[in-house]
Amino acid sequence: MTNVINNNYLISKKARDAVADVLGYEIEKLQIKPVSGGYSRNRRSVVGRDDTWVFVKEVDTTLLPNGGKEEKWWLKKDNLCVGALNKIAPEFVPEWSRLELGGHVLIMPAYIKEDGWLWQLPKYIKLQNKYIEAVLNVTKKLETVNFKDSEIKKMQLQTYFRDKIGYDEGFDQIIKSKTVRNKLLEKFVSLKNEYPESDQLKYDQVIILLNNKNEQKELKNIATNLTKQPNDCFGLCDVRSDNIAYNTNTGQIKLVDWNWASFTPNNFGSTEFLIDMARQGVDIKAWFNSINIELLVTLIGYWLKSCINKPLAPGNNLRDMQAISAANALSIYNLIK
Ligand SMILES: Nc1ncnc2c1ncn2[C@@H]1O[C@H](COP(=O)(O)OP(=O)(O)OP(=O)(O)O)[C@@H](O)[C@H]1O
Ligand SMILES: [Mg+2]
């Protein structure tokens, strides 16, 4: 069997053996299926048979720098968060998760289409609205979740926002460096050639920003205010449709990928989710009041800075996704301001 499908690597034989042990099946009797979505360099598969299926994510030490140290910590944090949240908000997380093979493999229940689960924005507009409302409701409820200080420390729930986004100097770099502006101009001109016509206006808005110092300074000032906001709302910090299982029969939501989970200012989850919805072509005007403007603007600077970094791996499209997200966040800002 080929083990790579559209840059999505299936889990290794070693990991399949571990799963067979957990499920109590012989490895020959297990089926293995690829999954769509995801931007990390982990291997992933849905594995099982009959009515018993699990989702498996594997840190591939051969593919990653540092023996996958960072990715191993992500699996560990994900596993800890799912465990902790199962005691507080079980309806929003997988029922269980466990680490195997010395922490290289994370296993959890599989949420598959045969059981009504969807991992993307529904196609029908009416269902789209229900989906968006359901996700916003979950992000709002999660904001009030609290943990003991010892858990916050153990799961490192107080670093992601502060270090990665709040004090990011994306706009400073754009303002100061012609090289950065030129790299970005090149990136967005090439996106205009590669991606659908409907998005062109959004890329044009970035190109206009890159040529306008006053606009860059205005955005920088708004972004600076973000760190003054209270940083006490819990969230997944990666709310995009490929991290959300939506049950079209029951309306239930399960969030996965807790490795970025953190305390943040309010409406972080709804803001990043609505940017993702805009990126996928949804008109999000009806939900503008769920957007944190300072955060929206900070994310523009953060993604612009990130999108010109080196690709994670050949064929990995994270950098394009960041550029497109920046363009969508900017187009939302231009509508709201
Ligand atoms: N429990 C699950 N059951 C079924 N499919 C799943 C499950 N968890 C994830 N998937 C599928 O795998 C895809 C990627 O999963 P996941 O987001 O966990 O990967 P990842 O490697 O962590 O990527 P990233 O960190 O970039 O988000 C999801 O979009 C979904 O299609
Ligand atoms: Mg993911």
Side-chain angles (χ1 to χ4, degrees):
M1 183 195 300
T2 168
N3 73 343
V4 50
I5 296 171
N6 300 332
N7 286 312
N8 281 343
Y9 290 85
L10 295 177
I11 58 165
S12 68
K13 161 90 171 50
K14 222 164 54 181
R16 275 181 278 154
D17 279 336
V19 176
D21 272 354
V22 169
L23 295 181
Y25 290 134
E26 288 160 40
I27 187 159
E28 295 75 31
K29 298 202 170 132
L30 283 184
Q31 290 174 39
I32 180 160
K33 299 180 186 174
V35 292
S36 62
Y39 294 87
S40 75
R41 288 170 290 185
N42 293 325
R43 293 174 175 270
R44 335 172 181 87
S45 304
V46 166
V47 184
R49 55 175 282 199
D50 307 326
D51 288 339
T52 312
W53 293 90
V54 290
F55 171 77
V56 186
K57 196 186 299 199
E58 179 184 12
V59 175
D60 188 337
T61 46
T62 59
L63 206 69
L64 296 164
N66 251 337
K69 195 167 165 231
E70 189 171 27
E71 278 79 3
K72 255 183 93 179
W73 159 244
W74 289 346
L75 292 203
K76 184 173 172 187
K77 176 166 174 180
D78 198 347
N79 189 50
L80 286 170
C81 282
V82 169
L85 284 164
N86 255 303
K87 297 190 196 118
I88 311 171
E91 61 277 38
F92 306 144
V93 285
E95 282 87 349
W96 55 267
S97 70
R98 59 189 281 174
L99 289 172
E100 292 291 330
L101 288 184
H104 285 88
V105 168
L106 179 72
I107 309 177
M108 68 181 81
Y111 300 98
I112 52 179
K113 64 173 181 302
E114 288 76 2
D115 299 327
W117 295 97
L118 197 65
W119 286 89
Q120 59 204 30
L121 172 70
K123 293 214 168 47
Y124 302 108
I125 299 277
K126 269 198 182 149
L127 201 51
Q128 280 187 358
N129 288 351
K130 273 174 84 172
Y131 169 78
I132 293 171
E133 292 290 344
V135 176
L136 292 178
N137 184 34
V138 172
T139 58
K140 197 83 247 161
K141 287 199 174 134
L142 278 173
E143 288 198 339
T144 60
V145 161
N146 225 327
F147 295 99
K148 286 190 223 127
D149 285 348
S150 58
E151 285 177 310
I152 292 176
K153 214 166 155 195
K154 191 159 134 204
M155 295 188 275
Q156 297 184 10
L157 299 180
Q158 281 289 16
T159 54
Y160 175 69
F161 163 72
R162 194 191 58 215
D163 298 347
K164 283 263 191 214
I165 299 197
Y167 293 121
D168 182 69
E169 284 158 1
F171 287 115
D172 273 338
Q173 288 198 7
I174 293 167
I175 292 167
K176 282 188 202 137
S177 165
K178 195 162 190 234
T179 315
V180 168
R181 290 196 298 278
N182 282 344
K183 272 194 194 164
L184 283 166
L185 279 169
E186 206 178 297
K187 175 96 195 165
F188 281 89
V189 169
S190 82
L191 282 180
K192 279 185 68 168
N193 295 326
E194 282 167 43
Y195 283 88
E197 206 134 307
S198 54
D199 288 343
Q200 307 265 320
L201 281 177
K202 294 175 179 172
Y203 305 145
D204 282 338
Q205 291 180 42
V206 178
I207 293 171
I208 290 170
L209 168 68
L210 291 169
N211 288 309
N212 184 333
K213 272 263 149 68
N214 286 339
E215 198 183 340
Q216 292 160 20
K217 285 182 188 153
E218 173 196 316
L219 294 188
K220 186 196 144 162
N221 289 339
I222 296 170
T224 309
N225 286 329
L226 185 66
T227 53
K228 295 180 193 145
Q229 295 181 7
N231 194 38
D232 55 1
C233 298
F234 178 71
L236 177 83
C237 296
D238 207 4
V239 187
R240 299 189 311 253
S241 46
D242 56 272
N243 288 334
I244 302 166
Y246 174 62
N247 195 302
T248 49
N249 303 326
T250 63
Q252 215 183 344
I253 295 280
K254 295 276 178 195
L255 296 180
V256 301
D257 263 5
W258 291 89
N259 52 286
W260 295 121
S262 173
F263 283 89
T264 67
N266 80 338
N267 283 334
F268 187 113
S270 49
T271 302
E272 58 174 354
F273 176 62
L274 289 168
I275 297 169
D276 185 51
M277 292 298 96
R279 185 172 67 84
Q280 296 187 54
V282 177
D283 178 351
I284 60 154
K285 274 197 208 75
W287 297 286
F288 274 177
N289 61 0
S290 296
I291 284 183
N292 178 330
I293 303 272
E294 289 76 14
L295 176 61
L296 179 76
V297 172
T298 304
L299 283 170
I300 300 171
Y302 174 70
W303 279 322
L304 284 180
K305 186 177 116 181
S306 309
C307 78
I308 50 175
N309 287 339
K310 272 210 318 264
L312 282 188
N316 184 298
N317 57 359
L318 175 70
R319 301 299 172 216
D320 280 3
M321 214 275 284
Q322 289 170 330
I324 296 168
S325 299
N328 276 284
L330 179 62
S331 77
I332 296 169
Y333 172 72
N334 284 336
L335 284 173
I336 294 184
K337 72 172 179 186

